[in-house]
Amino acid sequence: MSGKPKLYYFNGRGKMESVRWLLAAAGVEFEEEFLETRDQYEKLLQSGFLLFQQVPMVEIDGMKMVQTRAILSYIAAKYNLYGKDLKERALIDMYVGGTDDLMEFISMLPFLSAEDKEKQLAVIVQKATSRYFPAYEKVLKDHGQDFLVGNNFSWADVHLLEAILMVEEKKSDVLSGFPQLQAFKARTSSIPTIKKFLEPGSQRKPVPDDKFVETVRRVLCMYYDVKAN
Amino acid sequence: MSGKPRLTYLNGRGRMEPIRWLLAAAGVEFDEVYLETKEQYDKLIKDGFLLFQQVPLVEIDGMKMVQTRAIMSYIAGKYNLHGKDLKERALIDMYVEGIADLMQMILMFPFSPPDAKEKNLESIKERATNRYFPVFEKVLKQHGQDFLVGNKLSWADVQLMEAILAVEEKLPTVLSGFPQLQVFKNKMSNVPTIKKFLQPGSPRKPPPDAHYVETVLKVFKK
């Protein structure tokens, strides 16, 4: 056992990507085990390692953690990315809740029917530009600091950068009305641990493709189209 | 200003109910503002009260908090219902998130089309009895303690209690295979703050009815 956290998931973004981002931002090396076959998954289920029979699962500090939010919260707190007190934590939790909702629209995309995909893309851009980005733009403008909370780098900043890049992959000029976010993106991308994660060869996963969708469907026996919100 | 937390939501369970449960369990009194019209909701948005244009909104300790999880995490942290250290917090968070997944199915149920209701009820039953309840049954059996984490009442216990009662409303015999959970339910019912919350006249809201569904659709109409 290496002592490094070990991530169990598909070889793709999905719900694990935010965990990869956060560990990377914290400068923590981690290992990954990729689910490729139904057999592997059933073995994992039988092992009792998956508390609610689901992945993501992260082995960390002797725990087999499941539930993405719980995992992220633990990592954030452990590596001092969760604010200095309860109120800062509250702000971080609120901001992360927003970026989470936004990224959820995007992560659903590959699993929607062709006609829903088109509609969903429009929803993503609309929500990003009229609900979420304006909120973070205002936070940054109001306090004029480099980071979202407490003038200190936190989980909220990592999560926001991840969300920005994901939306930009769908619409490259989406930040055009948001000067604060543009500056935020540039600044945060140059933080050494994040810069490293953004370079080729890191454990960052690419935009989900058909192979990823096929693998997820096969392993989870999920052969229906997810319904858009 | 009363100093009490103030909750803004519809007059019904929805996403605010777990917050009501948690505040009540912590023995914290709170005020409520009920959204009844789209105009009220639009005004809240226009006045800049809702960070992401959504409710629940809880005004607490000078903050206008949104995002259910953030709100509950804050309340749990403030009132010592979030474990004594990071590892206990991790367990509580895992349990709470699992329960939230189950509660999400119940939350959405009143909004399912009539021809899907039977199937959705079956899904709730399947998930409760095969995925979620067995986990908590096992946790309680293994450590033999009254509460899920750290031998102390926590956010996880309150959420589990809420979930058990919500599922029982739909499936009255659902706990029949879960003796530990039956004992847990009784013990929790006798925790003084929870006992009080379970009595008539408390801020606890009734199961969603047609009027509630109608109000939701009206207030949040795009």
Side-chain angles (χ1 to χ4, degrees):
Chain A
M1 231 186 63
S2 68
K4 292 184 200 167
K6 189 166 171 185
L7 279 47
Y8 292 76
Y9 199 66
F10 312 99
N11 187 356
R13 290 183 181 177
K15 288 190 188 292
M16 191 61 101
E17 193 70 354
S18 296
V19 176
R20 298 181 183 110
W21 266 90
L22 191 55
L23 284 169
V28 177
E29 281 182 28
F30 55 91
E31 289 170 357
E32 301 199 68
E33 184 159 313
F34 298 126
L35 291 179
E36 258 130 32
T37 67
R38 177 79 195 166
D39 270 353
Q40 245 181 309
Y41 181 58
E42 286 190 354
K43 227 168 130 218
L44 207 50
L45 285 173
Q46 273 152 36
S47 69
F49 285 9
L50 306 180
L51 188 65
F52 301 116
Q53 302 155 20
Q54 298 164 313
V55 285
M57 191 268 276
V58 175
E59 283 174 318
I60 184 168
D61 297 338
M63 299 181 285
K64 287 174 172 43
M65 286 200 73
V66 297
Q67 291 292 337
T68 315
R69 226 15 130 64
I71 295 165
L72 289 169
S73 269
Y74 181 77
I75 295 166
K78 181 176 178 177
Y79 296 102
N80 294 311
L81 293 169
Y82 218 167
K84 70 178 197 297
D85 57 28
L86 212 53
K87 281 204 167 180
E88 284 195 354
R89 207 195 320 160
L91 280 176
I92 291 167
D93 280 341
M94 278 197 279
Y95 297 159
V96 155
T99 37
D100 204 35
D101 286 346
L102 177 57
M103 285 199 277
E104 174 129 11
F105 287 113
I106 300 174
S107 62
M108 252 209 264
L109 210 48
F111 298 94
L112 299 177
S113 69
E115 75 164 275
D116 277 351
K117 268 190 175 96
E118 183 99 32
K119 270 190 260 165
Q120 185 83 336
L121 265 168
V123 167
I124 289 164
V125 173
Q126 191 260 337
K127 289 252 148 97
T129 54
S130 63
R131 174 174 290 189
Y132 296 105
F133 289 173
Y136 301 107
E137 179 80 4
K138 181 171 194 285
V139 167
L140 292 167
K141 185 160 198 227
D142 283 352
H143 61 44
Q145 292 164 2
D146 282 358
F147 304 110
L148 285 170
V149 180
N151 210 11
N152 236 324
F153 182 54
S154 80
W155 173 21
D157 302 298
V158 182
H159 217 242
L160 177 58
L161 179 63
E162 183 188 358
I164 285 171
L165 296 182
M166 272 183 102
V167 181
E168 276 188 329
E169 278 166 352
K170 304 285 173 230
K171 188 172 194 286
S172 56
D173 62 350
V174 75
L175 282 194
S176 60
F178 303 100
Q180 298 284 335
L181 292 181
Q182 288 173 38
F184 172 85
K185 176 190 161 192
R187 273 193 315 265
T188 331
S189 304
S190 19
I191 291 173
T193 48
I194 295 191
K195 185 167 188 205
K196 189 168 172 212
F197 188 62
L198 291 174
E199 278 159 9
S202 82
Q203 283 159 296
R204 187 181 183 211
K205 302 295 175 271
V207 178
D209 57 12
D210 288 340
K211 179 163 184 275
F212 171 70
V213 173
E214 197 192 293
T215 307
V216 173
R217 288 195 189 286
R218 182 179 66 237
V219 171
L220 297 183
C221 289
M222 199 179 88
Y223 293 108
Y224 50 87
D225 282 333
V226 171
K227 264 184 40 189
N229 298 90
Chain B
M1 224 184 65
S2 68
K4 293 183 203 167
R6 188 162 79 171
L7 280 47
T8 301
Y9 199 67
L10 298 110
N11 186 356
R13 291 184 181 176
R15 294 190 186 285
M16 189 62 98
E17 194 72 353
I19 295 169
R20 297 183 184 106
W21 266 90
L22 193 56
L23 284 168
V28 177
E29 281 183 27
F30 52 91
D31 294 328
E32 300 202 65
V33 170
Y34 298 125
L35 292 180
E36 258 133 29
T37 67
K38 189 172 188 310
E39 288 68 40
Q40 251 180 304
Y41 177 54
D42 288 342
K43 183 162 190 297
L44 266 182
I45 294 176
K46 199 154 137 269
D47 292 345
F49 277 32
L50 306 179
L51 184 64
F52 303 117
Q53 301 155 9
Q54 297 163 315
V55 285
L57 165 70
V58 174
E59 291 166 280
I60 184 168
D61 297 339
M63 299 182 286
K64 287 177 172 42
M65 286 200 75
V66 297
Q67 290 288 326
T68 313
R69 262 195 208 89
I71 294 165
M72 289 205 282
S73 226
Y74 180 76
I75 294 167
K78 181 176 179 182
Y79 295 102
N80 294 311
L81 294 167
H82 214 169
K84 71 178 198 297
D85 57 28
L86 213 49
K87 283 209 166 173
E88 284 195 355
R89 209 199 310 167
L91 275 176
I92 290 167
D93 282 348
M94 279 195 277
Y95 296 162
V96 149
E97 289 293 308
I99 296 163
D101 284 349
L102 176 59
M103 289 299 281
Q104 176 74 5
M105 298 174 84
I106 295 177
L107 184 86
M108 298 308 296
F109 184 77
F111 301 93
S112 31
D115 58 353
K117 279 206 156 69
E118 178 147 358
K119 186 169 69 100
N120 289 343
L121 192 56
E122 209 28 65
S123 293
I124 291 171
K125 181 177 183 194
E126 197 272 329
R127 282 284 143 92
T129 54
N130 292 340
R131 180 173 288 190
Y132 297 107
F133 288 175
V135 168
F136 303 110
E137 180 78 7
K138 184 177 181 207
V139 167
L140 291 166
K141 186 163 197 215
Q142 282 190 331
H143 61 42
Q145 292 164 4
D146 286 356
F147 304 108
L148 287 169
V149 179
N151 210 9
K152 190 170 180 280
L153 180 74
S154 79
W155 175 14
D157 303 297
V158 181
Q159 285 266 237
L160 178 57
M161 180 63 175
E162 181 192 2
I164 285 171
L165 296 184
V167 178
E168 273 188 332
E169 275 169 355
K170 302 211 165 318
L171 303 157
T173 60
V174 75
L175 282 196
S176 59
F178 303 100
Q180 299 283 333
L181 292 183
Q182 290 173 39
V183 170
F184 172 83
K185 178 191 160 191
N186 283 336
K187 291 206 173 116
M188 289 294 284
S189 308
N190 289 313
V191 169
T193 48
I194 292 181
K195 189 170 184 183
K196 189 168 173 213
F197 188 63
L198 291 173
Q199 278 159 1
S202 85
R204 188 183 183 209
K205 301 294 174 269
D209 57 13
H211 177 252
Y212 172 74
V213 172
E214 203 185 290
T215 311
V216 170
L217 296 175
K218 181 177 72 177
V219 169
F220 299 124
K221 192 164 69 151
K222 296 196 175 105

